[in-house]
Coordinates of all heavy atoms in Angstrom, one line a residue:
M93 N -3.5 -3.7 -1.6 CA -3.2 -2.6 -0.6 C -3.7 -3.1 0.7 O -4.8 -3.7 0.9 CB -3.9 -1.3 -1.0 CG -3.6 -0.2 -0.1 SD -4.2 1.4 -0.7 CE -3.2 1.7 -2.1
R94 N -2.9 -3.0 1.7 CA -3.2 -3.4 3.1 C -3.8 -2.3 3.9 O -3.7 -1.1 3.6 CB -2.1 -4.1 3.8 CG -0.8 -3.3 3.6 CD 0.4 -4.0 4.3 NE 1.1 -2.9 4.8 CZ 2.0 -3.0 5.7 NH1 2.4 -4.1 6.2 NH2 2.6 -1.9 6.2
T95 N -4.5 -2.7 4.9 CA -5.1 -1.8 5.9 C -4.5 -2.0 7.2 O -4.3 -3.1 7.7 CB -6.6 -2.1 6.0 OG1 -7.2 -1.9 4.7 CG2 -7.3 -1.1 6.9
I96 N -4.2 -0.8 7.8 CA -3.6 -0.8 9.2 C -4.6 0.0 10.1 O -5.1 1.1 9.7 CB -2.3 0.0 9.2 CG1 -1.3 -0.7 8.3 CG2 -1.7 0.1 10.7 CD1 -0.7 -2.0 8.7
W97 N -4.9 -0.6 11.2 CA -5.8 0.1 12.2 C -4.9 0.6 13.3 O -4.3 -0.2 14.0 CB -6.9 -0.9 12.7 CG -7.8 -1.4 11.7 CD1 -7.6 -2.4 10.8 CD2 -9.1 -0.9 11.5 NE1 -8.7 -2.6 10.0 CE2 -9.7 -1.7 10.4 CE3 -9.9 0.1 12.0 CZ2 -11.0 -1.5 9.9 CZ3 -11.2 0.3 11.6 CH2 -11.7 -0.5 10.5
S98 N -4.9 1.9 13.5 CA -4.1 2.5 14.6 C -4.6 2.0 15.9 O -5.8 1.5 16.0 CB -4.2 4.0 14.5 OG -5.5 4.5 14.9
L99 N -3.8 2.1 16.9 CA -4.2 1.7 18.3 C -5.5 2.5 18.7 O -6.4 2.0 19.3 CB -3.1 1.9 19.3 CG -1.9 0.9 19.1 CD1 -0.8 1.2 20.1 CD2 -2.4 -0.5 19.3
R100 N -5.5 3.8 18.3 CA -6.6 4.7 18.7 C -7.9 4.2 18.0 O -9.0 4.1 18.6 CB -6.3 6.1 18.2 CG -7.3 7.1 18.7 CD -7.0 7.6 20.1 NE -8.0 8.4 20.6 CZ -8.0 9.8 20.7 NH1 -6.9 10.4 20.3 NH2 -9.0 10.4 21.2
A101 N -7.8 3.8 16.7 CA -8.9 3.2 16.0 C -9.4 1.9 16.6 O -10.6 1.6 16.7 CB -8.6 3.1 14.5
Q102 N -8.4 1.1 17.0 CA -8.8 -0.2 17.6 C -9.5 0.1 18.9 O -10.5 -0.6 19.3 CB -7.5 -1.0 17.9 CG -6.9 -1.5 16.6 CD -5.6 -2.3 16.9 OE1 -5.5 -3.0 17.8 NE2 -4.6 -2.0 16.0
D103 N -9.1 1.1 19.7 CA -9.7 1.4 20.9 C -11.2 1.9 20.7 O -12.1 1.6 21.4 CB -9.0 2.5 21.7 CG -7.7 2.0 22.4 OD1 -7.6 0.8 22.5 OD2 -6.9 2.8 22.7
D104 N -11.3 2.7 19.6 CA -12.6 3.2 19.2 C -13.6 2.1 18.9 O -14.7 2.0 19.4 CB -12.5 4.1 17.9 CG -11.8 5.4 18.1 OD1 -11.7 5.9 19.3 OD2 -11.3 6.0 17.1
I105 N -13.1 1.1 18.2 CA -13.9 -0.1 17.9 C -14.3 -0.9 19.1 O -15.4 -1.3 19.3 CB -13.3 -1.0 16.8 CG1 -13.2 -0.3 15.5 CG2 -14.0 -2.4 16.7 CD1 -12.5 -1.1 14.4
F106 N -13.3 -1.0 20.0 CA -13.6 -1.7 21.3 C -14.7 -1.0 22.1 O -15.6 -1.6 22.6 CB -12.3 -1.8 22.1 CG -12.6 -2.5 23.4 CD1 -12.6 -3.9 23.5 CD2 -12.7 -1.7 24.6 CE1 -12.9 -4.5 24.7 CE2 -12.9 -2.3 25.8 CZ -13.0 -3.7 25.9
D107 N -14.6 0.4 22.1 CA -15.6 1.2 22.9 C -17.0 1.1 22.2 O -18.0 1.0 22.9 CB -15.1 2.6 22.9 CG -13.9 2.8 23.8 OD1 -13.6 2.0 24.6 OD2 -13.3 3.9 23.7
I108 N -17.0 1.1 20.9 CA -18.3 1.0 20.2 C -18.9 -0.4 20.4 O -20.1 -0.5 20.7 CB -18.0 1.2 18.6 CG1 -17.7 2.7 18.4 CG2 -19.3 0.8 17.8 CD1 -17.1 2.9 17.0
A109 N -18.1 -1.4 20.3 CA -18.6 -2.8 20.6 C -19.1 -2.9 22.0 O -20.2 -3.5 22.3 CB -17.5 -3.8 20.3
E110 N -18.4 -2.4 22.9 CA -18.8 -2.4 24.4 C -20.1 -1.7 24.6 O -21.0 -2.2 25.3 CB -17.7 -1.8 25.2 CG -17.8 -2.0 26.7 CD -16.6 -1.5 27.5 OE1 -16.4 -0.3 27.4 OE2 -15.9 -2.3 28.0
H111 N -20.3 -0.6 23.9 CA -21.5 0.2 24.0 C -22.7 -0.6 23.5 O -23.7 -0.8 24.2 CB -21.4 1.5 23.3 CG -22.7 2.2 23.1 ND1 -23.3 2.9 24.1 CD2 -23.5 2.3 22.0 CE1 -24.5 3.4 23.7 NE2 -24.6 3.0 22.4
Y112 N -22.6 -1.2 22.3 CA -23.7 -1.9 21.7 C -23.9 -3.3 22.4 O -25.0 -3.8 22.4 CB -23.5 -2.1 20.2 CG -23.8 -0.8 19.4 CD1 -22.8 0.0 19.0 CD2 -25.1 -0.5 19.2 CE1 -23.0 1.2 18.3 CE2 -25.4 0.7 18.5 CZ -24.4 1.5 18.1 OH -24.7 2.7 17.4
D113 N -22.8 -3.8 22.9 CA -23.0 -5.1 23.6 C -23.9 -5.0 24.8 O -24.6 -6.0 25.1 CB -21.6 -5.6 24.1 CG -21.6 -7.1 24.5 OD1 -22.1 -7.9 23.7 OD2 -21.1 -7.4 25.6
R114 N -24.0 -3.9 25.5 CA -24.9 -3.7 26.6 C -26.3 -3.6 26.1 O -27.2 -4.0 26.8 CB -24.6 -2.3 27.3 CG -23.3 -2.4 28.2 CD -23.1 -1.2 29.0 NE -21.7 -0.7 28.7 CZ -21.4 0.5 28.2 NH1 -22.3 1.4 28.0 NH2 -20.2 0.8 28.0
I115 N -26.5 -3.2 24.9 CA -27.9 -3.1 24.3 C -28.3 -4.5 23.7 O -29.3 -5.0 24.0 CB -27.9 -2.1 23.2 CG1 -27.6 -0.7 23.8 CG2 -29.3 -2.0 22.5 CD1 -27.3 0.4 22.7
D116 N -27.4 -5.0 22.8 CA -27.7 -6.3 22.2 C -26.4 -6.9 21.6 O -25.8 -6.3 20.7 CB -28.7 -6.1 21.0 CG -29.0 -7.3 20.2 OD1 -28.4 -8.4 20.4 OD2 -29.9 -7.2 19.4
P117 N -25.9 -8.0 22.2 CA -24.6 -8.6 21.7 C -24.6 -8.9 20.2 O -23.5 -8.7 19.6 CB -24.5 -9.8 22.5 CG -25.3 -9.6 23.7 CD -26.4 -8.7 23.3
H118 N -25.7 -9.2 19.6 CA -25.7 -9.5 18.2 C -25.6 -8.2 17.4 O -24.9 -8.2 16.4 CB -27.0 -10.2 17.8 CG -27.2 -11.6 18.4 ND1 -26.4 -12.6 18.1 CD2 -28.0 -12.0 19.4 CE1 -26.7 -13.7 18.9 NE2 -27.7 -13.3 19.7
L119 N -26.1 -7.2 17.9 CA -26.0 -5.9 17.2 C -24.5 -5.4 17.3 O -24.0 -4.9 16.4 CB -26.9 -4.8 17.9 CG -26.8 -3.4 17.3 CD1 -27.1 -3.4 15.8 CD2 -27.8 -2.5 18.1
A120 N -23.9 -5.6 18.4 CA -22.5 -5.3 18.6 C -21.6 -6.0 17.6 O -20.8 -5.4 16.9 CB -22.0 -5.6 20.0
D121 N -21.9 -7.3 17.4 CA -21.1 -8.1 16.4 C -21.4 -7.5 15.0 O -20.4 -7.4 14.2 CB -21.5 -9.5 16.5 CG -21.1 -10.2 17.7 OD1 -20.1 -9.7 18.4 OD2 -21.6 -11.3 18.0
E122 N -22.6 -7.2 14.7 CA -23.0 -6.7 13.4 C -22.3 -5.3 13.1 O -21.8 -5.1 12.0 CB -24.5 -6.6 13.2 CG -25.0 -6.1 11.9 CD -24.6 -7.0 10.8 OE1 -24.3 -8.2 11.0 OE2 -24.6 -6.6 9.6
I123 N -22.3 -4.4 14.1 CA -21.7 -3.1 13.9 C -20.2 -3.3 13.6 O -19.6 -2.7 12.7 CB -21.9 -2.2 15.1 CG1 -23.4 -1.9 15.3 CG2 -21.1 -0.9 15.0 CD1 -24.0 -1.0 14.2
V124 N -19.5 -4.1 14.4 CA -18.1 -4.3 14.2 C -17.8 -4.9 12.9 O -16.9 -4.5 12.2 CB -17.5 -5.2 15.4 CG1 -16.1 -5.7 15.0 CG2 -17.6 -4.5 16.7
R125 N -18.7 -5.9 12.4 CA -18.5 -6.5 11.1 C -18.6 -5.4 10.0 O -17.8 -5.3 9.1 CB -19.5 -7.6 10.8 CG -19.4 -8.3 9.5 CD -20.5 -9.2 9.2 NE -21.8 -8.5 9.0 CZ -22.2 -7.8 8.0 NH1 -21.3 -7.7 7.0 NH2 -23.3 -7.3 7.9
R126 N -19.6 -4.5 10.1 CA -19.8 -3.4 9.2 C -18.6 -2.5 9.1 O -18.1 -2.0 8.1 CB -21.0 -2.7 9.5 CG -22.3 -3.5 9.2 CD -23.5 -2.7 9.6 NE -24.7 -3.6 9.6 CZ -25.9 -3.2 9.9 NH1 -26.1 -2.0 10.4 NH2 -26.9 -4.1 9.9
L127 N -18.0 -2.2 10.3 CA -16.9 -1.3 10.4 C -15.7 -1.9 9.7 O -15.0 -1.3 8.9 CB -16.5 -1.0 11.9 CG -17.5 -0.2 12.7 CD1 -17.1 -0.2 14.1 CD2 -17.6 1.2 12.1
E128 N -15.5 -3.2 9.9 CA -14.3 -3.9 9.3 C -14.5 -4.1 7.8 O -13.5 -3.9 7.1 CB -14.1 -5.3 10.0 CG -13.6 -5.2 11.4 CD -13.6 -6.5 12.1 OE1 -14.3 -7.5 11.7 OE2 -13.0 -6.5 13.2
E129 N -15.7 -4.3 7.4 CA -16.0 -4.4 5.9 C -15.9 -3.1 5.2 O -15.8 -3.1 4.0 CB -17.3 -5.2 5.7 CG -17.3 -6.6 6.1 CD -18.6 -7.3 5.9 OE1 -19.6 -6.6 5.6 OE2 -18.6 -8.5 6.1
A130 N -16.1 -2.0 5.9 CA -16.2 -0.7 5.2 C -14.9 -0.3 4.5 O -14.9 0.6 3.7 CB -16.6 0.3 6.2
V131 N -13.8 -0.9 4.9 CA -12.5 -0.5 4.3 C -12.3 -1.1 2.9 O -11.4 -0.7 2.2 CB -11.3 -0.9 5.2 CG1 -11.4 -0.2 6.6 CG2 -11.2 -2.4 5.4
A132 N -13.1 -2.1 2.6 CA -12.9 -2.8 1.3 C -12.8 -1.9 0.1 O -11.9 -2.0 -0.7 CB -14.0 -3.9 1.1
P133 N -13.7 -0.9 -0.1 CA -13.6 -0.1 -1.3 C -12.3 0.8 -1.2 O -11.8 1.2 -2.3 CB -14.8 0.8 -1.2 CG -15.8 0.1 -0.3 CD -15.0 -0.7 0.6
L134 N -11.9 1.1 0.0 CA -10.7 1.9 0.1 C -9.4 1.2 -0.3 O -8.4 1.8 -0.7 CB -10.5 2.4 1.5 CG -11.7 3.2 2.1 CD1 -11.5 3.6 3.5 CD2 -11.9 4.5 1.2
Q135 N -9.4 -0.1 -0.2 CA -8.2 -0.9 -0.6 C -7.9 -0.8 -2.1 O -6.8 -0.9 -2.5 CB -8.4 -2.4 -0.1 CG -8.4 -2.4 1.4 CD -8.6 -3.8 1.9 OE1 -9.3 -4.6 1.2 NE2 -8.2 -4.1 3.1
G136 N -9.0 -0.6 -2.9 CA -8.7 -0.5 -4.3 C -8.7 1.0 -4.8 O -8.0 1.3 -5.8
F137 N -9.3 1.9 -4.0 CA -9.4 3.3 -4.4 C -9.1 4.1 -3.1 O -10.1 4.6 -2.5 CB -10.7 3.7 -5.0 CG -11.0 2.9 -6.2 CD1 -11.8 1.7 -6.2 CD2 -10.5 3.2 -7.5 CE1 -12.1 1.0 -7.3 CE2 -10.7 2.5 -8.6 CZ -11.5 1.4 -8.5
A138 N -7.9 4.2 -2.6 CA -7.6 4.7 -1.3 C -8.0 6.2 -1.1 O -8.3 6.6 0.0 CB -6.1 4.6 -1.0
R139 N -8.1 6.9 -2.2 CA -8.4 8.3 -2.1 C -9.9 8.6 -2.4 O -10.3 9.7 -2.8 CB -7.5 9.2 -3.0 CG -6.1 9.2 -2.4 CD -5.1 9.9 -3.3 NE -3.8 10.0 -2.6 CZ -3.0 9.0 -2.4 NH1 -3.3 7.8 -2.7 NH2 -1.8 9.2 -1.8
L140 N -10.7 7.5 -2.3 CA -12.1 7.6 -2.5 C -12.9 8.5 -1.5 O -13.8 9.3 -1.9 CB -12.7 6.2 -2.5 CG -14.1 6.0 -3.0 CD1 -14.2 6.4 -4.5 CD2 -14.5 4.5 -2.9
G141 N -12.4 8.5 -0.3 CA -13.1 9.3 0.7 C -12.8 10.8 0.6 O -11.7 11.2 0.0
A142 N -13.6 11.6 1.1 CA -13.4 13.1 1.0 C -12.3 13.5 2.0 O -12.2 13.0 3.1 CB -14.7 13.8 1.4
A143 N -11.5 14.5 1.5 CA -10.5 15.1 2.4 C -11.2 15.9 3.5 O -12.2 16.5 3.3 CB -9.6 16.0 1.5
V144 N -10.6 15.8 4.7 CA -11.1 16.6 5.8 C -10.3 17.9 5.9 O -9.1 17.8 6.2 CB -11.0 15.7 7.1 CG1 -11.6 16.5 8.3 CG2 -11.8 14.4 7.0
E145 N -11.0 19.0 5.7 CA -10.4 20.3 5.8 C -9.8 20.5 7.2 O -10.4 20.2 8.2 CB -11.4 21.4 5.5 CG -10.8 22.7 5.4 CD -11.8 23.8 5.0 OE1 -12.8 23.4 4.2 OE2 -11.7 24.9 5.4
G146 N -8.6 20.9 7.3 CA -7.9 21.2 8.5 C -7.2 20.0 9.2 O -6.6 20.2 10.2
L147 N -7.2 18.9 8.5 CA -6.6 17.7 9.1 C -5.5 17.1 8.1 O -5.2 16.0 8.2 CB -7.6 16.6 9.4 CG -8.4 16.8 10.6 CD1 -9.4 15.6 10.9 CD2 -7.6 17.1 11.9
G148 N -5.0 18.0 7.3 CA -3.9 17.5 6.4 C -4.3 16.5 5.4 O -5.3 16.6 4.6
A149 N -3.7 15.3 5.5 CA -3.9 14.2 4.5 C -5.1 13.3 4.9 O -5.4 12.3 4.3 CB -2.7 13.4 4.3
V150 N -5.8 13.6 6.0 CA -6.8 12.8 6.6 C -8.1 12.8 5.7 O -8.5 13.9 5.2 CB -7.2 13.1 8.0 CG1 -8.4 12.3 8.5 CG2 -6.0 12.9 8.9
R151 N -8.6 11.7 5.4 CA -9.9 11.6 4.6 C -10.9 10.9 5.5 O -10.6 10.3 6.5 CB -9.6 10.7 3.4 CG -8.7 11.4 2.4 CD -8.4 10.5 1.2 NE -7.7 11.3 0.2 CZ -8.2 12.1 -0.7 NH1 -9.5 12.2 -0.7 NH2 -7.5 12.8 -1.6
K152 N -12.2 11.0 5.1 CA -13.3 10.4 5.8 C -14.1 9.5 4.9 O -14.2 9.7 3.7 CB -14.2 11.4 6.4 CG -14.9 12.3 5.5 CD -15.8 13.3 6.2 CE -16.5 14.2 5.1 NZ -17.3 15.2 5.7
W153 N -14.6 8.4 5.5 CA -15.3 7.4 4.8 C -16.5 7.0 5.6 O -16.3 6.5 6.7 CB -14.5 6.2 4.4 CG -15.2 5.2 3.6 CD1 -15.5 3.9 4.0 CD2 -15.6 5.3 2.2 NE1 -16.1 3.3 2.9 CE2 -16.2 4.1 1.8 CE3 -15.5 6.4 1.3 CZ2 -16.7 3.9 0.6 CZ3 -16.0 6.2 0.0 CH2 -16.6 4.9 -0.3
R154 N -17.7 7.2 5.2 CA -18.9 6.8 5.9 C -19.1 5.3 5.9 O -19.0 4.7 4.9 CB -20.1 7.6 5.3 CG -21.4 7.3 5.9 CD -21.5 8.1 7.2 NE -22.7 7.8 7.9 CZ -23.5 8.7 8.5 NH1 -23.1 10.0 8.5 NH2 -24.6 8.4 9.1
V155 N -19.4 4.8 7.1 CA -19.6 3.3 7.2 C -21.1 3.1 6.9 O -21.9 3.6 7.7 CB -19.2 2.8 8.5 CG1 -19.5 1.3 8.6 CG2 -17.7 3.0 8.8
P156 N -21.4 2.4 5.8 CA -22.8 2.2 5.4 C -23.7 1.6 6.6 O -23.2 0.7 7.3 CB -22.8 1.3 4.2 CG -21.4 1.5 3.7 CD -20.5 1.7 4.9
T157 N -24.9 2.0 6.7 CA -25.9 1.6 7.6 C -25.4 1.6 9.1 O -25.9 0.9 9.9 CB -26.4 0.1 7.3 OG1 -25.3 -0.8 7.5 CG2 -27.0 0.0 5.9
T158 N -24.5 2.6 9.4 CA -24.1 2.9 10.7 C -24.0 4.4 10.9 O -23.9 5.1 9.9 CB -22.7 2.2 11.1 OG1 -21.7 3.0 10.5 CG2 -22.7 0.8 10.7
P159 N -23.9 4.9 12.1 CA -23.7 6.3 12.3 C -22.2 6.7 12.4 O -21.8 7.7 12.9 CB -24.4 6.6 13.6 CG -24.2 5.3 14.4 CD -24.3 4.2 13.4
Y160 N -21.3 5.8 11.9 CA -19.9 6.0 12.0 C -19.2 6.4 10.8 O -19.6 6.1 9.6 CB -19.2 4.7 12.6 CG -19.8 4.4 14.0 CD1 -20.8 3.5 14.2 CD2 -19.4 5.2 15.1 CE1 -21.3 3.3 15.5 CE2 -19.9 5.0 16.3 CZ -20.9 4.0 16.5 OH -21.4 3.8 17.8
V161 N -18.0 7.0 11.0 CA -17.1 7.5 9.9 C -15.7 7.0 10.3 O -15.3 7.1 11.4 CB -17.1 9.1 9.9 CG1 -16.1 9.6 8.9 CG2 -18.5 9.6 9.5
L162 N -15.0 6.5 9.2 CA -13.6 6.2 9.4 C -12.8 7.4 9.0 O -13.0 8.0 7.9 CB -13.3 5.0 8.5 CG -14.0 3.7 8.6 CD1 -13.6 2.7 7.6 CD2 -13.9 3.2 10.0
L163 N -11.9 7.8 9.8 CA -10.9 8.8 9.5 C -9.6 8.1 9.1 O -9.1 7.3 10.0 CB -10.7 9.8 10.6 CG -12.0 10.5 11.1 CD1 -11.7 11.4 12.3 CD2 -12.6 11.3 10.0
Y164 N -9.1 8.3 7.9 CA -7.9 7.5 7.5 C -7.0 8.4 6.7 O -7.3 9.5 6.2 CB -8.4 6.3 6.7 CG -9.0 6.7 5.3 CD1 -8.1 6.5 4.2 CD2 -10.3 7.1 5.1 CE1 -8.6 6.8 2.9 CE2 -10.7 7.4 3.9 CZ -9.9 7.3 2.8 OH -10.4 7.6 1.5
V165 N -5.8 7.8 6.5 CA -4.8 8.4 5.6 C -4.4 7.4 4.5 O -4.2 6.2 4.8 CB -3.5 8.8 6.4 CG1 -2.4 9.3 5.5 CG2 -3.9 9.8 7.5
A166 N -4.4 7.8 3.3 CA -4.0 6.9 2.2 C -2.5 7.1 1.9 O -2.1 8.2 1.6 CB -4.8 7.3 0.9
L167 N -1.8 6.0 2.1 CA -0.4 6.0 1.9 C -0.1 5.2 0.6 O -1.0 4.7 0.0 CB 0.4 5.4 3.1 CG 0.1 6.1 4.4 CD1 0.6 5.3 5.6 CD2 0.6 7.5 4.4
D168 N 1.2 5.2 0.2 CA 1.5 4.5 -1.1 C 1.0 3.1 -1.2 O 0.5 2.7 -2.2 CB 3.0 4.6 -1.3 CG 3.5 6.0 -1.6 OD1 2.7 6.8 -2.1 OD2 4.7 6.3 -1.4
D169 N 1.3 2.3 -0.1 CA 1.0 0.9 -0.2 C 0.0 0.5 0.9 O -0.2 -0.7 1.1 CB 2.2 0.1 -0.1 CG 3.0 0.3 1.3 OD1 2.7 1.3 1.9 OD2 3.8 -0.5 1.6
M170 N -0.7 1.4 1.6 CA -1.6 1.0 2.6 C -2.6 2.1 3.0 O -2.4 3.3 2.6 CB -0.9 0.6 3.9 CG -0.3 1.8 4.7 SD 0.4 1.2 6.3 CE 2.1 1.3 5.8
V171 N -3.6 1.7 3.6 CA -4.6 2.7 4.2 C -4.5 2.5 5.7 O -4.6 1.4 6.2 CB -6.0 2.3 3.7 CG1 -7.1 3.1 4.4 CG2 -6.2 2.4 2.2
E172 N -4.3 3.7 6.3 CA -4.2 3.7 7.8 C -5.4 4.3 8.4 O -5.7 5.5 8.2 CB -2.9 4.4 8.3 CG -2.9 4.4 9.8 CD -1.8 5.4 10.4 OE1 -1.1 6.1 9.6 OE2 -1.6 5.4 11.6
I173 N -6.2 3.5 9.1 CA -7.4 3.9 9.7 C -7.0 4.6 11.1 O -6.4 3.9 11.9 CB -8.4 2.8 10.0 CG1 -8.7 2.0 8.7 CG2 -9.7 3.4 10.6 CD1 -9.3 2.8 7.6
R174 N -7.2 5.9 11.2 CA -6.7 6.6 12.4 C -7.8 6.6 13.5 O -7.4 6.6 14.7 CB -6.3 8.0 12.0 CG -5.1 8.0 11.1 CD -4.0 8.8 11.6 NE -2.8 8.7 10.7 CZ -2.2 9.7 10.2 NH1 -2.6 11.0 10.5 NH2 -1.1 9.5 9.5
R175 N -9.0 6.8 13.1 CA -10.1 6.9 14.1 C -11.4 6.3 13.5 O -11.6 6.3 12.3 CB -10.4 8.3 14.5 CG -9.3 9.1 15.2 CD -9.0 8.6 16.6 NE -10.2 8.4 17.5 CZ -10.7 9.3 18.3 NH1 -10.3 10.5 18.3 NH2 -11.8 8.9 19.1
V176 N -12.3 5.9 14.4 CA -13.6 5.5 14.1 C -14.5 6.4 15.0 O -14.5 6.2 16.2 CB -13.9 4.0 14.3 CG1 -15.3 3.7 13.9 CG2 -12.9 3.1 13.6
V177 N -15.2 7.3 14.4 CA -16.0 8.3 15.1 C -17.5 8.3 14.7 O -17.8 8.0 13.6 CB -15.4 9.7 15.0 CG1 -14.0 9.8 15.5 CG2 -15.4 10.2 13.5
H178 N -18.3 8.7 15.7 CA -19.7 8.9 15.4 C -19.9 10.1 14.6 O -19.3 11.2 14.9 CB -20.5 9.0 16.7 CG -21.9 8.8 16.6 ND1 -22.7 9.8 16.0 CD2 -22.8 7.8 16.9 CE1 -24.0 9.4 16.0 NE2 -24.0 8.2 16.5
A179 N -20.6 10.0 13.5 CA -20.8 11.2 12.6 C -21.3 12.4 13.3 O -21.0 13.5 12.9 CB -21.6 10.8 11.4
A180 N -22.1 12.3 14.3 CA -22.7 13.4 15.0 C -21.8 13.9 16.1 O -22.2 14.9 16.8 CB -24.1 13.0 15.6
S181 N -20.7 13.3 16.4 CA -19.8 13.8 17.5 C -19.0 14.9 17.0 O -18.9 15.2 15.8 CB -18.9 12.6 18.0 OG -18.0 12.3 17.0
D182 N -18.3 15.6 17.9 CA -17.5 16.8 17.6 C -16.1 16.3 17.3 O -15.2 16.5 18.1 CB -17.6 17.7 18.8 CG -16.8 19.0 18.5 OD1 -16.6 19.3 17.3 OD2 -16.5 19.8 19.5
W183 N -15.9 15.7 16.2 CA -14.5 15.2 15.8 C -13.8 16.1 14.9 O -12.6 16.0 14.7 CB -14.7 13.8 15.2 CG -15.5 13.7 14.0 CD1 -16.9 13.5 13.9 CD2 -15.2 14.0 12.6 NE1 -17.3 13.5 12.6 CE2 -16.3 13.9 11.8 CE3 -13.9 14.4 12.0 CZ2 -16.3 14.1 10.4 CZ3 -13.9 14.6 10.6 CH2 -15.1 14.4 9.9
K184 N -14.5 17.1 14.3 CA -13.8 18.0 13.3 C -13.0 19.0 14.0 O -13.2 19.3 15.2 CB -14.9 18.7 12.5 CG -15.7 17.7 11.7 CD -16.8 18.4 10.9 CE -17.6 17.4 10.1 NZ -18.7 18.0 9.5
P185 N -11.9 19.4 13.3 CA -11.0 20.4 14.0 C -11.6 21.8 14.2 O -12.6 22.1 13.6 CB -9.8 20.5 13.0 CG -10.3 20.0 11.7 CD -11.5 19.1 12.0

C-alpha cells in the first residue's frame, strides 16, 4: 500500500521543520524522520488509527515520541495523509 502526502500535509511538515530548525537543526531532522516513519504501520493496517468524529472517513494516528498526530484517509490502495497537527492544537471540528 502506498502513502500519499497531501500538499497541506507537506506544508505542515515544512512548517514543523522550520520551527524546530530555529531551536536545533538536528532536532528538526529527527522530528521529520519520525513523522515520515510513523506511516509504516498504516501501510499494512490502514484502518489502525481511530476514526475522528465529525470528519467523515478521516482517522488519526499519533506519531510516537512527538506531540504530533497524522490525520489521514484509508483508501483501497493507499493511505492519504491530509494533515500533520500538534495534538494540543485546535484541529478538531
Side-chain angles (χ1 to χ4, degrees):
M93 184 172 289
R94 43 183 218 164
T95 301
I96 303 288
W97 295 81
S98 72
L99 291 177
R100 188 86 188 259
Q102 291 175 42
D103 286 344
D104 291 338
I105 290 176
F106 179 80
D107 292 343
I108 291 165
E110 192 174 64
H111 169 76
Y112 283 102
D113 193 51
R114 285 185 234 124
I115 300 166
D116 178 352
H118 297 291
L119 179 58
D121 291 342
E122 182 63 21
I123 295 289
V124 169
R125 184 188 64 76
R126 290 175 189 175
L127 293 171
E128 291 171 345
E129 290 179 353
V131 300
L134 302 177
Q135 291 174 335
F137 303 97
R139 288 172 175 73
L140 192 58
V144 178
E145 188 175 326
L147 287 182
V150 174
R151 295 177 168 277
K152 64 182 177 178
W153 184 250
R154 180 76 184 222
V155 179
T157 66
T158 76
Y160 296 101
V161 173
L162 302 178
L163 299 179
Y164 73 97
V165 175
L167 304 170
D168 290 336
D169 61 343
M170 76 175 101
V171 173
E172 179 188 3
I173 310 298
R174 298 232 172 129
R175 294 292 313 269
V176 181
V177 296
H178 195 285
S181 67
D182 186 18
W183 58 267
K184 297 177 184 176

